[in-house]
Amino acid sequence: MRFQRRQLLRTLSFAFGSSFILSRNQLGIAAQTAIPPKVSPPPAGAAVRNGIAGGTEMEKVTGIGGLFFRARDPKALGRWYQQHLGISLTPSSYEDSVWQQEAGPTVFAPFEETSDYFGDAHKFWMVNFRVRDLDKMAAQLQTAGIAVKIDPQSYPNGRFARLHDPEGNPIELWQPKVPDTKG
């Protein structure tokens, strides 16, 4: 049990970019230096909805620190993600760096158990990756023999495409719409 705990904590430290300090009776987490997101003041009446009650703001997570899932062949699947999507694998030492994603919007949305949005009803998760240029990414994947279906519709929040990894897990690519900065 102790080994599994240490292994989990090591994996989490890589994923979160923090340093875990392990001792027999304590666990400390070294704080990360990050620029806090700019947050607009909540609209009137939103205090309780947003977890602010009694004048005390609720502590919130700052983003997704990792995505963990089961695979039939984790090493091969990890190499596929690295080769085709540029996602660095979990480092094997503290000196190696983890995949650094760019700052940007992240959607967190549980779906109904009966949703067909993921495709195969036996798949319980789908990851959505932001991309700068959806057409270039799709062409790169198609050149590698990976089927990609670009949604022909452009939405107010951007453009989307679908593909599946070698184990059939659904992947959505999202090119966020760039706000119009012209006055």
Side-chain angles (χ1 to χ4, degrees):
M1 178 69 168
R2 186 177 299 241
F3 174 75
Q4 289 175 337
R5 180 175 170 238
R6 285 182 183 266
Q7 189 175 23
L8 174 63
L9 293 173
R10 179 172 291 150
T11 301
L12 289 172
S13 78
F14 285 129
F16 290 112
S18 301
S19 301
F20 283 91
I21 304 162
L22 299 172
S23 72
R24 205 173 190 69
N25 298 321
Q26 68 182 20
L27 166 67
I29 301 175
Q32 289 182 280
T33 57
I35 300 169
K38 293 180 182 176
V39 179
S40 302
V48 175
R49 266 194 329 268
N50 294 333
I52 303 170
T56 304
E57 186 173 342
M58 179 181 128
E59 186 64 26
K60 299 176 190 129
V61 298
T62 60
I64 299 204
L67 174 64
F68 306 94
F69 57 97
R70 292 183 177 100
R72 287 186 295 275
D73 188 345
K75 288 184 182 191
L77 192 58
R79 283 191 304 272
W80 184 90
Y81 276 89
Q82 187 173 31
Q83 179 182 357
H84 297 291
L85 299 177
I87 298 171
S88 302
L89 300 175
T90 304
S92 57
S93 76
Y94 288 104
E95 289 77 36
D96 297 331
S97 60
V98 297
W99 172 52
Q100 296 290 318
Q101 60 180 316
E102 295 177 11
T106 301
V107 176
F108 183 84
F111 279 72
E112 286 291 333
E113 187 173 40
T114 57
S115 172
D116 62 354
Y117 190 69
F118 303 167
D120 182 348
H122 294 97
K123 299 298 179 183
F124 292 95
W125 64 272
M126 180 182 71
V127 64
N128 171 296
F129 291 113
R130 289 186 310 268
V131 297
R132 278 189 285 279
D133 188 323
L134 186 66
D135 296 317
K136 273 187 174 179
M137 176 61 83
Q140 172 183 298
L141 293 165
Q142 289 165 340
T143 299
I146 299 165
V148 179
K149 183 179 180 199
I150 297 177
D151 187 332
Q153 185 173 347
S154 185
Y155 299 89
N157 60 336
R159 298 177 55 222
F160 296 88
R162 256 322 150 83
L163 65 138
H164 292 84
D165 72 17
E167 294 196 6
N169 297 306
I171 298 170
E172 188 170 63
L173 302 176
W174 172 37
Q175 179 182 324
K177 184 173 183 171
V178 178
D180 186 8
T181 57
K182 297 175 185 169

